[in-house]
Amino acid sequence: MKWYIIFMLIGFKESMLLKRMVHTKCRGVLYPFSDVKRLQIKDEQVHWSVCVSDYDPPEYNSKALVNKPWADPPIEDKSFKPKWNELDGDINRKSHTGTYRIVNGRPLNPEGRTGIKGRGILGKWGPNHAADPIVTRWKMEGNKKVISNTTNLPILQFCAIQRHDCKQWAIPGGMVDAGEKVSETVQREFREEALNNLQVSKEQAEADEKMIRNFFKNGVVIYEGYVDDPRNTDNAWMETVAYNFHDEDGSHVGKLNLTAGDDAQNIQWMDIDQNIDLYASHSNFIKAVVERLKSHW
Ligand code: RP5
């Protein structure tokens, strides 16, 4: 075989591997907020295309979901007739990843096995849709951008919240409400989690409100798809649309004093580099923003 064909094949295999990176955060030993142990599987056993003949994970359906108006009924409920892979009334059961399979009446996680069946603590069977606002500004010293000594590139900051539930730092995202547009969710979640109780005068609040509404008109979609979220199961999983809202001169949302609210315990403008350790697959979304804005990583 000619040498260039060998190189092409190696390159092709590598790019396939990158695309098929397996989920890991939803394969931890214990399912979040429970004492249910996930069945431990190897990376090479994750995809459904690989036969694992004795795969029989435990089932977990949190009792906290019973009679919650935003949650689906139990899957065996005779009155529950979901329209999989479709817009089901106000509920979006379509996946950003394409058509997911239904096996024995249950939707199958498109990214493969997680070592647990049921829907855990997720409200919906199948995809659970969220939206993530990545609000960024440049790190400044006086009126100069701070440049990294290692990469010679400007350092970017994003609005990070510390989640109440697991204490991990994250993008201030949240679930898309039934019938809500994703573009509305990103703004609502940011307001609830990052702009709670701004202590300003009535006049200032009115001016800020106008500025915030305009600022959120200019989002760029950075990612649409599956989230490697610790709550995922074989039959229920998180998906998101992540938007970047960038404040180039720091005179818009970048100038506001952030205050944690709702699901957030702490909040900060966090410096971005390759060591950031965030909830679920949020670091991957941040990396996409870094590439977009050509900043330090
Ligand atoms: C993640 O969970 C999404 O990326 C989003 O940030 C978040 C939504 O869930 P809650 O914060 O509402 O629990 O998968």
Side-chain angles (χ1 to χ4, degrees), residues 130-132 163 165 171-175 193 227 229 231 238 240 263 279-280 282 285:
D132 283 296
R163 292 177 64 99
D165 54 5
I171 300 163
M175 300 292 189
E193 297 196 5
V227 186
D229 189 292
R231 295 168 291 186
M238 292 296 307
T240 197
D263 296 340
Y279 180 73
H282 285 187
F285 313 157

Side-chain angles (χ1 to χ4, degrees), residues 168-195:
Q168 277 190 285
W169 286 91
I171 300 163
M175 300 292 189
V176 180
D177 287 343
E180 188 178 42
K181 284 194 193 136
V182 175
S183 55
E184 288 163 6
T185 314
V186 272
Q187 191 176 157
R188 176 179 56 73
E189 283 294 333
F190 189 79
R191 282 166 186 274
E192 285 175 11
E193 297 196 5
L195 302 178

Side-chain angles (χ1 to χ4, degrees), residues 76 83 101 109 116 179 192 216 237 249 264:
E76 60 277 5
K83 292 185 181 141
R101 286 195 296 145
N109 186 320
I116 205 159
E192 285 175 11
F216 278 98
W237 60 92
D249 64 4

